[in-house]
Amino acid sequence: NAGVTQTPKFRVLKTGQSMTLLCAQDMNHEYMYWYRQDPGMGLRLIHYSVGEGTTAKGEVPDGYNVSRLKKQNFLLGLESAAPSQTSVYFCASSYSPRTYGYTFGSGTRLTVV
Amino acid sequence: GESVGLHLPTLSVQEGDNSIINCAYSNSASDYFIWYKQESGKGPQFIIDIRSNMDKRQGQRVTVLLNKTVKHLSLQIAATQPGDSAVYFCAERGAYGQNFVFGPGTRLSVLP
């Protein structure tokens, strides 16, 4: 049971480049989330999904897009990377946030130069 | 939660002592709270949770206390060990919301 797997673990992008971060969970969770974590700050929600085919904006969605075509996968896209998007990105999933907390992946460290 | 900028609050304790990490939450309607532990280079891990109909919950070496009157949550770690060194986050969920809101975190440093 792998839990939540994020790929890649590290990436360096040039300003203006695009990339996709992949999150995969094998726990049959309905809910999935993308967070960013910056030094000294808590986790900030970018986008989330309450089920296959659904997405919704979180606290800091600008500059990001997401897709949930399959229940087990949640993709985070950066169309034109900016230095302000340098951060550590965490994916999380939950069976039911009313009853349970989140299971987090190990993170993707992204640097935009 | 409040942002403390680049510098996390830090709690330093001697190995073997008890640790108390505090968290002030913002929403009086929050009904579910979780403490997470994040070790360097890893994702947050669930430690213990508590619902608003309780004021205390105990786990293995950890206790969470909830004071709804002053919107305060605390995590107590008994006999703190070097492996407890990490950043600890509290998270709250509003009664009608689906998403948790995370606090900025506290760094726990265990001294030998």
Side-chain angles (χ1 to χ4, degrees):
Chain A
N1 190 337
V4 177
T5 303
Q6 291 183 235
T7 53
K9 294 192 184 306
F10 303 94
R11 185 71 186 268
V12 178
L13 283 181
K14 293 183 179 178
T15 298
Q17 285 185 319
S18 63
M19 78 163 294
T20 300
L21 283 67
L22 171 64
C23 177
Q25 53 94 2
D26 61 1
M27 298 171 286
N28 202 33
H29 286 174
E30 288 291 340
Y31 299 81
M32 296 187 75
Y33 309 83
W34 276 107
Y35 285 88
R36 61 177 289 171
Q37 185 176 42
D38 299 296
M41 299 183 72
L43 294 155
R44 293 186 292 168
L45 183 63
I46 305 172
H47 286 279
Y48 64 100
S49 168
V50 300
E52 180 179 318
T54 76
T55 64
K57 294 181 180 180
E59 180 186 354
V60 289
D62 294 341
Y64 305 95
N65 57 75
V66 287
S67 64
R68 184 100 181 267
L69 298 179
K70 293 183 179 180
K71 185 177 183 179
Q72 62 267 35
N73 295 336
F74 195 28
L75 306 178
L76 178 70
L78 286 74
E79 289 186 348
S80 180
S84 61
Q85 294 178 303
T86 293
S87 189
V88 181
Y89 292 86
F90 288 100
C91 176
S93 70
S94 178
Y95 175 72
S96 168
R98 293 200 68 84
T99 314
Y100 303 98
Y102 298 167
T103 301
F104 284 87
S106 57
T108 296
R109 183 173 294 277
L110 176 65
T111 303
V112 183
V113 297
Chain B
E2 295 179 8
S3 169
V4 293
L6 294 177
H7 302 289
L8 283 176
T10 299
L11 174 67
S12 297
V13 299
Q14 292 291 139
E15 183 178 352
D17 286 353
N18 297 334
S19 303
I20 300 176
I21 300 171
N22 296 305
C23 177
Y25 64 92
S26 56
N27 185 353
S28 57
S30 293
D31 65 351
Y32 185 33
F33 305 87
I34 299 179
W35 278 101
Y36 287 90
K37 172 186 181 183
Q38 186 178 22
E39 296 175 277
S40 181
K42 297 183 179 180
Q45 278 184 293
F46 174 97
I47 302 174
I48 191 168
D49 60 356
I50 188 168
R51 301 190 187 277
S52 57
N53 61 350
M54 305 172 70
D55 53 22
K56 180 179 180 179
R57 190 156 190 236
Q58 288 184 294
Q60 188 175 19
R61 279 202 311 119
V62 294
T63 300
V64 55
L65 300 178
L66 175 62
N67 185 330
K68 294 181 286 294
T69 303
V70 295
K71 294 188 288 186
H72 183 267
L73 198 65
S74 68
L75 176 70
Q76 301 179 359
I77 304 174
T80 311
Q81 302 170 358
D84 295 327
S85 292
V87 176
Y88 290 81
F89 294 95
C90 64
E92 61 176 300
R93 193 188 66 85
Y96 302 104
Q98 296 182 15
N99 302 321
F100 281 88
V101 175
F102 289 81
T106 297
R107 186 179 306 279
L108 176 65
S109 178
V110 181
L111 307 173

